Amino acid sequence: MADTLDLKILTELRQNSRASFAELGRTVGLSPSSVRERIQRMEISGLIKKYSIEIDYAHLRFMHWTIPSFWSIQKVSKFFWLRGK
């Protein structure tokens, strides 16, 4: 069961999933090791299922493309880099 501090950590992770344990700790008032333990506990329990990214496709110079999930980011980068030339 998540407590108030877990909810604060989750709120911060929703804003920046790349935040370090130290950054999160400063924000929620815990030590980095306590934040790490809480996040690990939430991952193990299934409360945190995955971390993801949001891509701004305009920066890749295309708007309505679907990238197959089996493509690696290297293939995607190379494909669109070569198309732009």
Side-chain angles (χ1 to χ4, degrees):
M1 188 65 138
D3 63 10
T4 305
L5 289 173
D6 289 342
L7 295 176
K8 287 181 181 180
I9 292 169
L10 290 171
T11 301
E12 293 301 318
L13 285 173
R14 284 190 67 199
Q15 297 298 314
N16 180 8
S17 62
R18 295 189 63 186
S20 69
F21 297 136
E23 289 175 89
L24 292 168
R26 281 190 295 274
T27 304
V28 300
L30 292 172
S31 69
S33 60
S34 293
V35 171
R36 181 183 51 80
E37 289 171 9
R38 284 174 173 270
I39 290 174
Q40 284 178 336
R41 190 172 56 242
M42 289 187 278
E43 290 169 341
I44 291 167
S45 73
L47 183 59
I48 296 176
K49 291 186 176 188
K50 66 179 182 176
Y51 298 88
S52 62
I53 61 169
E54 184 176 336
I55 299 171
D56 183 350
Y57 291 101
H59 280 80
L60 294 175
R61 294 187 288 190
F62 66 97
M63 295 298 286
H64 301 287
W65 286 73
T66 300
I67 299 170
S69 61
F70 58 84
W71 279 22
S72 68
I73 194 67
Q74 291 85 9
K75 283 184 182 178
V76 171
S77 298
K78 183 177 179 183
F79 177 77
F80 289 107
W81 178 258
L82 293 175
R83 290 199 67 206
K85 291 186 175 187

